[in-house]
Amino acid sequence: MNGTIVIEVQRYRPEQDPHPWWQAFELDYRPEMSVLDALHQIRDRHDSGLAYRWSCRMAICGSCGLMVDGVPRLGCKTFLRDYYPDRIRLGPLAHFPIERDLIVDLRDFLDKLAAVKPYLIRAAQDERPSEPRRQTPAQLARFLPFAQCISCGLCYAACPEYGLNNRFFGPAALALLHRYNRDSRDQGRAERLPTMNAEDGVWGCTFVGYCSQVCPKGVDPAAAINQGKIVSVIDYVRHLVGLSPATLGQDATQEGER
Amino acid sequence: MSARRPYIRPMPRTWWLRNPVFRRYMLREATALFVGGYGLVLLWGLSALRQGEGAWLAYLAGLSHPLALAFHTLALAMALYHTVTWFALTPKLMPSRIGNRPIPARWVKAAHYGLFALCSLVILLLAAGVH
Amino acid sequence: MKSARRSNEPLTWSLFAAGGLLAAFLTPPLLLAPLGLLGEGLRFERVRAFLDHPLGALILWALIALPLWHAAHRLYHGLSDLKVGAHRLTYALCYGFAFLVTLYSGYLVWFA
């Protein structure tokens, strides 16, 4: 099974390259090698200047996202044996500005994550703000699937709507927003509604669904966003007939206690 | 001074040709042209129905024209693709549990197809002239 | 990031979704119905009687208008996916057409 494999890496060195270009490397192949291992081999044996991000090697830190043959993947969770003996093309995550080689500028993504208020918000009249709040398994199950995000950005590289219009809040941020809206301990839905209701909130999504396919943690952002559309429609009608927004995570409380 | 010079990749309007997932997405969106087109065929029929029996018969004759048959056949394929993709996505918008009990996604999908079969049966029986 | 203006898409999206739902269940069998094999149900008096019943009229109106909202919505977003035309123009053309068809078919169903 041992042989060699050709890996093409997209290079971009801002101080000398006018635009990105492809460089091929012939590597020693072993079936247990991940794409991240291949990048290490290139750095160790061919070009110590190759720039790429990585940390945990076990699909939890979310640093090593890149395009493998045009598909957003984690380098540590993608194995050469699934491509061998074909050559593999590695590029930086799509839709983000390239900083250098495989490193992209994630600032816009990180700003959006922070902007959806991804933390428990309690109402001002909360009389016992610091007491523990128990949840039933059913209440936990409502948001747990949306709480597995590792902020790797693969879903943004998968989302053509974000690529076409980067004002769109995008999959991970809106899924995170949905996660807090569905948490029975949270009362901050009204504060998050303006983000959802905007043209660049849930309405920027056309349900391509690729975000959910590429997510390495099994989060389903497409489901989260489109459930968010129903929340937004209800809020639209409430607004039309002059009702204030539903302040509590209303359906969370109802359904959880049922 | 910063040495940063971030490179922003252009997004050509042919972006959807590069990935089979995106090609299927565009095909799904294109089914709407046939779904809407059939709405116009029905509108034409409604207008004929209002004009009287002669116009209605002419409308029915028009529907059996080879071009109309070709449209109907192509539209049928596209409408079925719409049905399949719609049933694949809408369960994601529905509540996934009743009380504490989760509803398997398979059941939701099966219920959709069951209802689809029932609708088809009723419409075809009506069209065949059964009361 | 300051909060942006409320989108009116809840309105168009609801019509889109209603049309898509209706089309998913009914358009394939409807397309099969007039293929020549089954003609008896399409006799003039019979279809006319269906239209003269208020429920029949409502069904026919929905079957024409809602799929057009569905199509308008997907066409508008599809055109912006293809980077074709200015958003305001394609918006007005797509949804405007669906609106006109809704009015005209409503007139034919209820008032003609």
Side-chain angles (χ1 to χ4, degrees):
Chain A
M1 280 295 280
N2 291 6
T4 62
I5 187 167
V6 175
I7 308 275
E8 287 181 50
V9 182
Q10 189 175 311
R11 305 300 304 270
Y12 175 66
R13 295 157 303 177
E15 69 282 1
Q16 60 189 105
D17 299 331
H19 41 71
W21 53 286
W22 292 93
Q23 185 175 16
F25 298 95
E26 189 167 354
L27 305 185
D28 288 335
Y29 166 81
R30 279 174 290 107
E32 68 273 20
M33 276 172 75
S34 67
V35 162
L36 187 58
D37 292 329
L39 290 172
H40 291 336
Q41 196 182 114
I42 294 171
R43 180 201 57 192
D44 293 345
R45 299 188 194 168
H46 299 274
D47 184 350
S48 60
L50 178 69
Y52 57 99
R53 284 198 184 105
W54 64 285
S55 177
C56 77
R57 298 166 284 110
M58 45 200 274
I60 201 63
C61 74
S63 310
C64 64
L66 75 177
M67 305 298 281
V68 182
D69 285 349
V71 175
R73 289 180 170 281
L74 292 182
C76 65
K77 211 185 169 208
T78 306
F79 293 90
L80 300 190
R81 57 175 177 267
D82 295 326
Y83 299 83
Y84 183 81
D86 295 338
R87 58 171 59 199
I88 307 176
R89 299 194 115 194
L90 306 178
L93 281 181
H95 306 150
F96 293 113
I98 306 175
E99 200 65 42
R100 179 183 202 88
D101 294 340
L102 298 176
I103 292 181
V104 291
D105 180 3
L106 290 169
R107 167 159 298 175
D108 179 55
F109 167 51
L110 298 173
D111 284 347
K112 280 171 174 151
L113 283 181
V116 301
K117 308 197 180 201
Y119 37 80
L120 295 178
I121 298 172
R122 296 298 295 180
Q125 65 271 29
D126 188 358
E127 284 157 13
R128 300 165 300 158
S130 54
E131 276 190 20
R133 299 190 191 278
R134 297 205 177 97
Q135 282 186 312
T136 64
Q139 287 172 327
L140 181 68
R142 279 181 54 79
F143 71 84
L144 200 59
F146 300 113
Q148 306 302 311
C149 176
I150 56 171
S151 312
C152 62
L154 297 199
C155 52
Y156 283 68
C159 176
E161 301 307 313
Y162 178 72
L164 289 161
N165 163 27
N166 66 10
R167 291 186 311 274
F168 173 42
F169 261 79
L174 291 168
L176 193 61
L177 186 157
H178 192 61
R179 171 250 174 279
Y180 281 93
N181 274 356
R182 285 174 74 86
D183 192 321
S184 60
R185 298 165 297 180
D186 183 80
Q187 299 174 332
R189 171 187 291 222
E191 290 184 37
R192 300 188 191 98
L193 272 168
T195 304
M196 301 173 70
N197 290 338
E199 207 68 53
D200 296 322
V202 292
W203 301 110
C205 166
T206 57
F207 216 158
V208 179
Y210 197 35
C211 51
S212 302
Q213 285 184 40
V214 303
C215 178
K217 305 309 281 185
V219 181
D220 193 342
I225 297 172
N226 285 278
Q227 289 167 15
K229 286 180 187 170
I230 292 174
V231 173
S232 182
V233 168
I234 292 169
D235 185 60
Y236 188 84
V237 176
R238 288 180 73 97
H239 178 74
L240 270 188
V241 300
L243 286 170
S244 59
T247 38
L248 305 181
Q250 222 177 34
D251 58 23
T253 334
Q254 286 165 5
E255 216 178 295
E257 285 169 4
R258 207 176 285 155
Chain B
M1 202 185 84
S2 169
R4 288 185 61 200
R5 197 163 62 81
Y7 183 86
I8 295 171
R9 287 160 283 182
M11 183 120 170
R13 61 176 54 158
T14 52
W15 59 267
W16 53 280
L17 290 171
R18 288 183 302 207
N19 186 321
V21 175
F22 296 151
R23 290 198 290 272
R24 287 196 291 274
Y25 159 71
M26 276 300 186
L27 180 64
R28 184 192 86 190
E29 299 300 287
T31 60
L33 295 175
F34 292 86
V35 166
Y38 185 62
L40 293 180
V41 171
L42 285 182
L43 178 65
W44 174 31
L46 174 64
S47 143
L49 197 61
R50 277 298 183 212
Q51 283 166 45
E53 184 154 20
W56 177 250
L57 289 175
Y59 168 69
L60 288 186
L63 287 187
S64 55
H65 188 277
L67 274 178
L69 285 178
F71 170 80
H72 274 70
T73 313
L74 183 59
L76 177 63
M78 294 295 260
L80 282 172
Y81 192 66
H82 167 68
T83 300
V84 171
T85 52
W86 193 266
F87 290 177
L89 293 180
T90 42
K92 289 186 180 223
L93 304 193
M94 297 179 167
S96 56
R97 50 181 60 242
I98 299 172
N100 282 340
R101 203 167 298 164
I103 315 167
R106 284 177 290 131
W107 291 13
V108 179
K109 224 172 171 180
H112 274 80
Y113 279 100
L115 187 58
F116 175 69
L118 187 69
C119 288
S120 302
L121 189 69
V122 170
I123 286 176
L124 290 177
L125 285 178
L126 280 175
V130 178
H131 277 280
Chain C
M1 245 171 281
K2 66 177 195 317
S3 62
R5 217 160 45 87
R6 183 190 283 275
S7 167
N8 282 315
E9 205 166 315
L11 209 62
T12 48
W13 183 80
S14 300
L15 290 164
F16 150 80
L21 186 73
L22 211 59
F25 284 103
L26 302 179
T27 302
L30 281 172
L31 276 160
L32 271 179
L35 277 181
L37 306 164
L38 322 141
E40 186 56 19
L42 297 179
R43 269 196 357 262
F44 179 71
E45 304 80 40
R46 214 177 124 101
V47 184
R48 193 63 187 261
F50 182 77
L51 178 60
D52 287 338
H53 192 280
L55 188 63
L58 190 67
I59 290 173
L60 209 55
W61 193 30
L63 277 178
I64 293 171
L66 289 176
L68 266 123
W69 285 100
H70 173 82
H73 187 79
R74 282 200 158 163
L75 186 61
Y76 168 66
H77 285 286
L79 287 174
S80 92
D81 282 348
L82 295 172
K83 301 182 165 190
V84 175
H87 283 227
R88 278 189 186 174
L89 178 71
T90 52
Y91 189 92
L93 287 177
C94 291
Y95 294 109
F97 185 68
F99 184 67
L100 288 179
V101 170
T102 304
L103 287 186
Y104 182 53
S105 57
Y107 163 77
L108 283 177
V109 161
W110 302 108
F111 302 108

